[in-house]
Amino acid sequence: MGGAFLAAAVLARLGSRIELPTIPLFILAGILLGPHTPGIVLVSDPHDLEMLSALGLVLLLFYLGLEFHLDDLKAGGRKMALAGGTYLALNVGAGLGFGFALGWGTSEALVLAGVLGISSSAIVTKVLVDLGRIGNPETKPILGIIVVEDIFLALYLAALQPILSGADSLSAAVMDGAKAFGFLLALALAARYGTKLVGRFIATKDDELLVISFLGIAVFVAGVSEWFGVADAIGAFMVGLMLGGTTSGDRIRKLVHPLRDAFGAIFFFAFGLSINPGDLPTVLWPVLAAVAVTLVMNIVAGISAARINGFGAGPAANISTTLLARGEFALILATMAAGASLDARLAPFIAGYVLILAVLGPLAAGRSHWLARVLPGGRGRNGGDSGRPGEPGRLEEASATH
């Protein structure tokens, strides 16, 4: 594990000199030092880091919840649902059509609909933090789309599981979906009405006790969420949403930073461990075609979300590029597909597709001003916040503004 941290740190330091984002470099460290690449192998079994990787994802989304005030959800609920629904309709629909076009089978097409349709919550969060965009106005619809995606994800997985397992029980699928939706509703009600009670429970002047308290609540609720069929990430997000509104919210934001950064790096490193570069050439052309489809759909969805919220070309470009990356959910689907004995090409396809977009997404987000220039209303203008690295709006300033 020490080698994993050091390798990630060394590559990230080298990359920072040429303004590369840390996410693809952490992933690259995992690929180079994992079991599928010749040379030094630091971790022979990616499952050895599974719990730490899960903790990294939980902390990334917990932090996101801390920064996303409940008032934002209430004020933008309608627009959030419309933007999120539009994003899903475009991307999931395109993924389903692409899956059928490949001709690998109906079950494979249903899996590819989710792979191409759902953004990586972890990478989106890290991009927003790294580029200092937490306080930007377009960040609210971005986070809203992520929330809608996670709600869809719970229902989608509940419906997909009986199909992959060969079960024909519609009632079982409906029950799983109802259980997941009911728990999401309970989390939302707790975030809305339980803030004061939870705030009194964790209130303490001792930083050590506060860290143990908020970490325990976030991880516990994430675990319970998973048991109910809801992504652990959305459970952590809702806890962050709740705790961010307490009197201890500002201290929690400060105390969670080092935990978020350390375990977030392990999450992306472990992601790299699971990728076998040797499998990629066999599915290269389908992967490149899928990446092209996702690029086009994200630009269309970004423009739509920006118009729904009254934004210009700059925020539209930020939305399009920030939501581009695919990640942890696609890998979950790859595991499910492997267990269901689907087409053997599916696993390397997902790995290659996710790897390219996990690298391309953060790079594109950091250079979204290039896209803004060619979008409607952006020619010859700034088009809104370009989000260029190095401009005012680093994380600390964004948090203070927010």
Side-chain angles (χ1 to χ4, degrees):
M1 192 190 305
F5 276 117
L6 289 174
V10 169
L11 277 178
R13 283 174 177 268
L14 293 174
S16 66
R17 296 183 180 182
I18 52 175
E19 296 187 352
L20 284 178
T22 58
I23 294 169
L25 296 169
F26 292 155
I27 295 172
L28 179 61
I31 294 173
L32 294 178
L33 299 171
H36 305 299
T37 306
I40 299 173
V41 177
L42 281 181
V43 184
S44 57
D45 185 358
H47 293 292
D48 289 344
L49 295 181
E50 190 170 14
M51 182 58 72
L52 294 175
S53 172
L55 184 57
L57 178 61
V58 164
L59 288 171
L60 282 167
L61 270 293
F62 172 69
Y63 176 79
L64 194 60
L66 288 171
E67 291 290 351
F68 194 47
H69 292 184
L70 193 58
D71 290 340
D72 298 335
L73 276 177
K74 290 189 291 184
R78 195 175 198 177
K79 291 180 179 179
M80 178 185 77
L82 184 56
T86 302
Y87 186 90
L88 285 173
L90 289 168
N91 285 273
V92 174
L96 184 62
F98 182 82
F100 281 121
L102 282 180
W104 291 355
T106 301
S107 295
E108 287 79 358
L110 291 171
V111 170
L112 288 173
V115 171
L116 271 66
I118 307 294
S119 306
S120 167
S121 300
I123 296 179
V124 168
T125 305
K126 192 71 164 56
V127 166
L128 291 172
V129 170
D130 285 353
L131 298 180
R133 293 182 183 171
I134 292 291
N136 285 14
E138 73 274 8
T139 296
K140 293 179 183 179
I142 289 173
L143 301 185
I145 290 172
I146 290 294
V147 171
V148 172
E149 281 186 329
D150 281 328
I151 294 172
F152 169 80
L153 172 58
L155 303 176
Y156 170 78
L157 285 178
L160 186 64
Q161 186 61 50
I163 295 173
L164 295 185
S165 63
D168 55 1
S169 173
L170 179 62
S171 60
V174 171
M175 284 298 296
D176 287 343
K179 184 173 71 170
F181 185 77
F183 184 70
L184 281 171
L185 183 60
L187 284 178
L189 291 173
R192 174 67 179 88
Y193 299 107
T195 300
K196 290 184 178 179
L197 180 63
V198 174
R200 286 197 296 268
F201 172 73
I202 67 166
T204 176
K205 295 181 180 179
D206 190 314
D207 284 349
E208 179 186 9
L209 293 179
L210 184 58
V211 169
I212 297 300
S213 299
F214 74 69
L215 189 60
I217 294 172
V219 175
F220 179 77
V221 173
V224 174
S225 298
E226 199 171 56
W227 188 79
F228 273 95
V230 177
D232 52 2
I234 191 63
F237 175 86
M238 297 302 289
V239 172
L241 195 66
M242 190 187 312
L243 297 187
T246 66
T247 55
S248 304
D250 290 337
R251 288 172 60 209
I252 293 173
R253 290 185 192 95
K254 186 180 296 184
L255 291 169
V256 79
H257 278 193
L259 293 169
R260 178 206 67 195
D261 292 341
F263 289 101
I266 289 295
F267 171 82
F268 294 111
F269 182 87
F271 179 39
L273 291 175
S274 65
I275 295 174
N276 186 350
D279 291 338
L280 304 184
T282 60
V283 290
L284 178 61
W285 293 113
V287 165
L288 293 179
V291 168
V293 168
T294 304
L295 283 169
V296 172
M297 289 299 102
N298 268 261
I299 291 172
V300 174
I303 293 172
S304 301
R307 287 183 175 176
I308 288 170
N309 289 274
F311 297 144
N318 286 349
I319 295 170
S320 300
T321 54
T322 302
L323 291 168
L324 182 60
R326 302 296 188 259
E328 63 281 355
F329 174 58
L331 296 180
I332 291 171
L333 283 177
T335 303
M336 291 174 63
S341 300
L342 299 186
D343 195 298
R345 293 169 291 184
L346 204 54
F349 170 88
I350 293 174
Y353 171 77
V354 168
L355 176 60
I356 290 176
L357 286 182
V359 173
L360 182 61
L363 290 174
R367 293 155 181 79
S368 59
H369 52 284
W370 294 353
L371 175 61
R373 293 171 188 165
V374 300
L375 291 182
R379 189 177 297 278
R381 306 184 200 174
N382 194 22
D385 175 39
S386 65
R388 301 180 191 181
E391 290 182 353
R394 294 184 62 84
L395 177 60
E396 293 80 4
E397 296 168 6
S399 298
T401 303
H402 188 75

